[in-house]
Structure formats: C-alpha cells, structure tokens
Amino acid sequence: MEGKLQLHRRIHEEENPELLGFPASSFGEDNELRSAQCLRCRVWREMKVFRGKQSSLLWRSLGFQRIGRSSKKYRAFRHRIHVVSPSGRFFIVDFSSFFGGKRWKEHISRFGSVSAAVGAMVGSVEVPCVGGDLSGKVEPLPEEISPEFLPLVIENEGVIEDGNEEIREVVLGKNVHTTCLAVTEPDADDEITGDREAYMASVLARYRKSLIERTRHHLGYPYNLDFDYGALAQLQHFSINNLGDPFIESNYGVHSRQFEVGVLDWFARLWEIEKNEYWGYITNCGTEGNLHGILVGREVFPDGILYASRESHYSVFKAARMYRMECVKVGTLLSGEIDCADFRTKLLQNRDKPAIINVNIGTTVKGAVDDLDLVIKTLEETGFKHEQFYIHCDGALFGLMMPFVKRAPKVSFKKPIGSVSVSGHKFVGCPMPCGVQITRLEHINALSRNVEYLASRDATIMGSRNGHAPIFLWYTLNRKGYGGFQKEVQKCLRNAHYLKDRLQDAGISAMLNELSSTVVFERPQDEEFVRRWQLACQGNIAHVVVMPNVTIEKIDDFMSELLHKRSSWFQNDKIQPPCVAGDIGEENCACGLHS
C-alpha cells in the first residue's frame, strides 16, 4: 500500500492543478497554487490531529482562514471544510468520501490513481471579491455555498456553572471576504474618462441604499438612529484631533477642547460632582470608558481584585486580561442584577485585598441595573472602608437614561464611587462610536504624565482622539437638554412595555426589567429572521432594545413578521416553543409547562 510519505511526494510532483481536483482558474498566482498543494500534504501528515482547534491552527499556518464546516461534529475527514485563501478566494474542501486506515488502498484502486483519489476528496469553487473590476458586479454564490453555511456554527463557548462546563455553540456571521470591496489602482486615463469616479459613486449609492434598509430593520442593539447633524457637515473638511488632556491645550491647534470640556461639565452636573473635583474625557467608545475606569482602580489599588457580575459587558473581562488583574465573577439574580449575597461571600474570601468593583447600570443582555446602594452596603458590612474599595459604574446605555426614570436609584459622586462611563453613540445618538468617562481628580494623578511633544499632559488610553465627537455631543445636548432627554426616556419605556405586552399576548415568552427598555424574549428559530432584524441573541433568548427611533409602527411590523414566521416554526405539536424559565423566570415563560 502506498504510504503517506509517498503520497506526500506524489502530490508535490503534480504540476497540473486540475489533477488535484482544483480548476486551474481557481488560482491567480503560482504561489497560491503551491500553498494549496502544501496544504494537501500537511493535511495528510497531520491527519490524526486534524480536528477541533488544532485544525484551525493548521489552516492558518498556511495563510488560509477556516470559516466553518457543514457538520457540527469534530470527527476528522467526515465533513467539508470551508476556507478562504490569502488572496480572498473561497474554497470548499470535501473530505466526506475519505475511507482512511486500511481501506486507503481500496479507495485508490476505486478511483484508479492517487491523483484521482485526492481529486475526489478535494473540490473547490471560486468566489471573487467584489470590486475586482470597475463593473462592481457581485457574483452570485454557487449552489455549493448554500445559505445554510452562512452564518456558520464554528466555535464553542464554554460556560462554567458550579464547576461543570456547559458547551454552547456560537453562531457567527458570514465571512466578509466573500463580499469585500477591493481597492484597485487607477487606470492611466481615469481622470479623462471619469470611469473610476462613476464607479465609486455607484458603490457609495448602493451602500447608502443598504444602510437605509438595514436601519429600517434595526432592533437588537442599543443605538439611537434618530438624529440629524446636517448643520455639522461644514466641519467635515477639518482634521480635528483632541490629543492629550482635554483641560490643557497642546501645540496642535485644530482641536475641539472647548466643546469637550463643555460636554464633560454637563455630565459632571448630571452625576453631582464639582468642576474642581472631577477629571474626564470623551472616549472613542464605551469599552474605552470601562478600560479607563478599571485602569484607574488598578492604579489606586495595584493589588486589588476586580469583582464583576457574570452578566457584565465583555469589555470588563477584557480589561482584567489586559491588566493581568485577578478577576472574580459574581453570580446574578434571574433578572440579571448582581447577586449581593454571592458578592458578600466572595468578598469575605478575599478580605485581605482591596476591592475594585464594576457596577452595571444596565446589563448587556437583560438591561438589569445593579443596586449601587446595596453593593456599597455589602462592602461596608464585610469590613471594607471607603479607602479600601473603588467602584466603576458601567452606564453605557442606561447611565444617561436612569437620571430621568422615576424611582430609579441615583448614580452620584456623592456616593463613594470612583468613576462613571457612558456611550455617546447609544441613547444620545451620535453617528460615530464615542463615550464619556468621568472620574475623581484625586485619582488621576497616578496616571497623568507630562508629554513635551504635545506641550500638554495625558492620562487617556488613546493618544489621538476624535475631535468631531465632542462637537456632535455638544450639539445634541444643547438641542435636547434635560427636558428633551426626559421625554425620550419616557417614550422608550412606554414602547418597551407595549412590545412586551404584545409578545406575551401572542403567547411568546418575554421579560422586561422595571428600569429597562430592553425586552427579552425567546430566541427566534430562524437565523435569517434574526439577521434581518439584527437581534442580539444569547443561548435560548434574544432581545430588542427600544431606543427613540423604535416607533410603535416598527414594533407592529416586527410583531407581524414574527407571528407569521412562528406559524411555520410551530405548525405541528411535535415542535414546541423552548422553555426559557431558566433565563427569564417561570412567570415570564410561555412554554407548555409554564404557560
């Protein structure tokens, strides 16, 4: 029987790519062909370990990106592998006919030659990236790449509960290399013909049309898309950069610090801290606010332990990894709020070290608000003095809504907190990602440094910062004011209750926390429906975040389509809606057991 080493040599000796099962047109350059040949050899040499995460490392080591497979099992050579080559071409490698082991000789005999046997195993198709020519045409996907492969279940997420690891499959989106817009060199006569300008104008027009459609069906992520900043178009011709400390000018004169500090003063009043007692800046996103707040806490307490509930935003745990901090995950109540009984237990286990706590003013999935007063009380009752803990409040979305909700607990620097951050592109409605971070001035000296190059100081995470963002924030804060935001908050809460009631009236499991505009409900069975409405999902639940742009009409359209889809998902008694009592409580679950 021909061994693996001989097969390896035979493959390398092949010069005609079609003998390997690859149409010659699939390869633009020789080096890509060699990569494919080498890939075949590596596959054979590593056949016993070509599974799971190791398989991903194998493809990537050859410059290929593996994006999925048609089988959910990890058994070697029992499925197709979908890969994208270094140049962006899309290949399907079909190992479904592999026999392996002692039957390999029989497999070769059946096809007549090694080349034919390998060719039967390896098939490919080419999907060129959009923009390869000035026509801008998008080639349709061949039948082999059916929509069922996109998005693909390609990764497992481990969830550890009581020492046991529950493996949950995560559905990822489709690979953008299949639809990317290539950057090409201008032709010599482009300035004369105007073809390139016309092509780019058509691409942008199509993109704008897609944005309008996507905005119309946007429900799952907390972005306020109801804004108009036409008056600020006159400023887009300037490179505005607020590098360094917002309170100290640098030698770079094209900045917007006067707008930035005005915005910071507005938020300082909202969170009740005097001008001479706070420091802050406009960040590039909500994550940067969390990274900065936790960094300040770490600088104040270098040996401190970070405590965060399991439902905290992923950026909190990213900060712990970046700063090499010891991080303790605290359990949550069914609502998503931090479980202060579990928090107390874990504080007592680490009584000898300072505590750095992330408090959620609205969790990512359920919109739950941690009880800040109870968190502080728990710290005090377990023996932590105010100088032994640092609290960062992650108010990405609800940090700006809470002050306008009746009976809502107050986020205030009159309480022993260290920092608060919010996102500017969420409830405020800014067209670019940005955020606001406020901390106590007494804490910032540990981070701040003089920078001669700037003729300023810097305690930010990013050096250069978008100088347009403060202007957008200043503009909308001036237009709406406290009264305008209060009206928008009340509208969002009313519409959220309307959506929750419509879901429950239709027999769909749904939950809405008291201080939230995030409606949680059972996950739709159709991933295409999820993508169409851009729903955020986790396990068996999904959510809609009701923002000012989410109208009653949009909710009615969503419900009409959802109910129509459900009639096909659950058209017989064999398939029943999932039980989500473990996620949203028995009283909110409409499954056959709890309805």
Side-chain angles (χ1 to χ4, degrees), residues 262-432:
V263 170
L264 294 173
D265 284 346
W266 189 91
F267 279 95
R269 290 194 301 273
L270 186 69
W271 294 324
E272 300 181 321
I273 186 169
E274 297 298 323
K275 288 184 180 181
N276 61 348
E277 294 179 355
Y278 88 88
W279 184 92
Y281 73 104
I282 306 298
T283 63
N284 291 300
C285 61
T287 288
E288 186 180 350
N290 286 341
L291 292 177
H292 192 275
I294 294 171
L295 178 61
V296 173
R298 203 279 307 270
E299 292 299 301
V300 174
F301 298 118
D303 61 339
I305 296 176
L306 176 61
Y307 296 87
S309 83
R310 292 186 180 276
E311 300 216 18
S312 298
H313 190 260
Y314 68 87
S315 62
V316 174
F317 306 111
K318 179 194 291 187
R321 293 193 300 272
M322 288 175 64
Y323 304 146
R324 297 292 191 266
M325 297 174 67
E326 183 179 351
C327 180
V328 174
K329 288 187 178 181
V330 182
T332 57
L333 305 177
L334 206 56
S335 65
E337 178 185 341
I338 190 171
D339 183 351
C340 281
D342 186 49
F343 181 44
R344 177 190 300 272
T345 299
K346 288 172 177 173
L347 283 173
L348 292 173
Q349 292 172 352
N350 301 282
R351 183 62 190 82
D352 57 330
K353 289 187 177 181
I356 302 168
I357 308 96
N358 177 77
V359 170
N360 295 304
I361 313 301
T363 57
T364 309
V365 176
K366 297 180 180 178
V369 177
D370 293 341
D371 190 330
L372 175 59
D373 294 332
L374 185 56
V375 167
I376 295 171
K377 181 181 178 182
T378 303
L379 284 160
E380 293 172 342
E381 289 179 349
T382 50
F384 284 82
K385 299 178 181 179
H386 289 184
E387 59 269 21
Q388 292 178 304
F389 65 81
Y390 179 99
I391 295 176
H392 170 69
C393 297
D394 175 12
L397 172 59
F398 293 111
L400 187 52
M401 297 178 67
M402 288 285 288
F404 307 107
V405 178
K406 295 179 181 179
R407 302 181 308 279
K410 182 177 289 189
V411 177
S412 169
F413 278 92
K414 291 182 178 179
K415 301 176 182 180
I417 64 175
S419 54
V420 184
S421 64
V422 298
S423 295
H425 56 288
K426 292 181 180 173
F427 189 76
V428 176
C430 194
M432 73 278 292

